[in-house]
Amino acid sequence: MLSRGFEIELETSEWKGLSINNGFGYTDAKYTKVKVSSKQNDLNLVNKRQIFTPNMTNLMAIKYSIKLNRSRNLKLTTIGEWKYVGNQFFDFANTSKQKGYNLCNTRIILSTKRWQLSSWSNNLFNILYIDYAYEFGATHLGNPRCYGGSLKMIF
């Protein structure tokens, strides 16, 4: 197998409550000398892409925090995330493919030293994508749009 690639991570220092983080990865992973038997047939995997390995990934997060009340240490934080998962294959013959897709997630957090109230959304635009699949037919779709919230008490 030949696998090569790189990752780059960038992070800004917080400036007036704003920070930006980004992580990008590229992978070129191919089989070089593999031959296997699949369903009574010999399968030559030379130059086929590695399964379950996206060719690119990217995650960008923008976070903004503001103090609403200094005496009570009340703070509001908003976070927006954009995630990209590139093309990937789910079978050795590279016939079952998921094209790249984008996801957007959000968080809103109201907090003090004693408690934290948050709301969130994942897959905000309700993108339909395959999370993983297997040659024998089992496929798992990614989670649809979902919302939630939590209250955390700190003692």
Side-chain angles (χ1 to χ4, degrees):
M1 166 170 269
L2 175 64
S3 181
R4 56 185 165 210
F6 63 90
E7 292 183 17
I8 297 173
E9 292 186 28
L10 302 170
E11 182 175 345
T12 65
S13 298
E14 188 171 316
W15 180 72
K16 295 188 178 185
L18 179 68
S19 64
I20 301 172
N21 300 318
N22 193 79
F24 173 82
Y26 171 77
T27 303
D28 181 19
K30 294 179 183 175
Y31 298 104
T32 54
K33 298 180 181 178
V34 180
K35 293 183 182 178
V36 296
S37 292
S38 174
K39 299 179 186 174
Q40 311 299 352
N41 297 322
D42 286 336
L43 184 60
N44 184 350
L45 301 182
V46 175
N47 289 324
K48 298 291 184 183
R49 300 272 179 195
Q50 181 178 351
I51 61 173
F52 307 117
T53 306
N55 63 338
M56 281 189 279
T57 56
N58 196 77
L59 177 63
M60 177 183 281
I62 299 173
K63 177 180 172 182
Y64 181 71
S65 296
I66 186 170
K67 289 196 176 185
L68 299 176
N69 184 319
R70 290 192 189 277
S71 65
R72 296 181 188 249
N73 202 28
L74 184 62
K75 182 168 77 170
L76 178 67
T77 303
T78 59
I79 303 170
E81 295 176 341
W82 165 68
K83 179 180 181 180
Y84 175 75
V85 178
N87 299 335
Q88 63 181 311
F89 293 95
F90 299 115
D91 67 332
F92 288 112
N94 288 178
T95 57
S96 178
K97 178 181 179 179
Q98 167 69 60
K99 290 187 178 184
Y101 58 92
N102 295 283
L103 298 176
C104 182
N105 305 318
T106 63
R107 307 277 177 273
I108 298 173
I109 305 163
L110 188 62
S111 63
T112 69
K113 287 183 179 181
R114 308 275 318 173
W115 55 267
Q116 184 180 74
L117 179 65
S118 63
S119 67
W120 53 267
S121 68
N122 288 338
N123 193 1
L124 186 62
F125 300 111
N126 205 28
I127 303 300
L128 182 64
Y129 64 97
I130 298 170
D131 197 22
Y132 57 88
Y134 296 102
E135 279 191 76
F136 59 84
T139 300
H140 182 267
L141 295 178
N143 291 331
R145 178 188 310 125
C146 50
Y147 304 97
S150 64
L151 174 61
K152 180 178 176 181
M153 303 300 288
I154 303 164
F155 296 101

